[in-house]
Amino acid sequence: YAKTEKRKAYLRAYQKAYRKTEKQKAARKAYQRSEKQKAYQKAYHKAYSKTEKRKAYQKAYQKAYAQSERGQAVRRAWRQSEKGKAYMKAVNEVCKNTGNKEQAQIAGKQAAAFIRESNKAKNGLDSSSISPHS
């Protein structure tokens, strides 16, 4: 009887109805918050992030985004920003002097980080000078 079509149809209908009950919704919510589920999710995510399927998806997504109108606009805006200009200037200078692209990229990242930090410092000074308690 366990394998008959009638039994399978009954079980499917019962499970579908049970999934909609408040008891099942509460149980599902409690499981989502449990440490066991969090550990499972973490392990699954870690394993999935290393799969070829994930890498292929990411590569395709990045290519599509780079070709999209929004991706191009973001890239244009970044190149015209202070950080973008500092990055490109450093990359071009180091590449011209050494010919090493990796070294040039590192120099560009350092230049952009320097601009970012100086902007943080400027913003920190500006916000403290406008303090209502002065």
Side-chain angles (χ1 to χ4, degrees):
Y1 178 71
K3 293 184 179 181
T4 65
E5 291 302 315
K6 189 176 180 182
R7 174 76 175 154
K8 287 179 186 176
Y10 169 76
L11 284 174
R12 275 194 301 270
Y14 177 80
Q15 289 168 346
K16 187 176 181 181
Y18 181 68
R19 277 194 298 268
K20 293 178 182 177
T21 64
E22 291 302 316
K23 182 179 177 182
Q24 174 61 19
K25 288 178 184 177
R28 203 175 314 125
K29 197 177 266 189
Y31 179 69
Q32 291 294 336
R33 293 180 182 151
S34 71
E35 291 302 316
K36 183 179 178 182
Q37 171 63 1
K38 288 177 184 174
Y40 171 79
Q41 283 288 78
K42 191 174 184 180
Y44 176 83
H45 182 70
K46 189 174 183 181
Y48 177 70
S49 66
K50 295 177 183 175
T51 62
E52 291 301 317
K53 185 178 179 182
R54 165 78 172 148
K55 289 175 185 173
Y57 170 78
Q58 204 167 16
K59 190 174 183 180
Y61 177 83
Q62 287 173 342
K63 185 177 181 182
Y65 181 77
Q67 293 172 351
S68 73
E69 203 173 304
R70 182 175 180 193
Q72 290 175 354
V74 166
R75 202 165 43 256
R76 238 186 334 270
W78 186 82
R79 274 194 231 119
Q80 294 170 356
S81 72
E82 192 179 358
K83 273 192 287 187
K85 288 178 183 176
Y87 177 88
M88 291 309 297
K89 185 177 179 182
V91 166
N92 289 336
E93 200 167 306
V94 171
C95 203
K96 185 172 66 177
N97 293 337
T98 65
N100 186 340
K101 286 185 179 181
E102 286 180 23
Q103 215 174 17
Q105 286 179 334
I106 292 168
K109 287 178 183 177
Q110 289 172 340
F114 177 76
I115 297 294
R116 186 171 38 252
E117 292 304 317
S118 68
N119 284 345
K120 280 183 186 176
K122 272 190 234 173
N123 291 339
L125 290 175
D126 289 347
S127 64
S128 62
S129 63
I130 305 175
S131 169
H133 301 291
S134 334

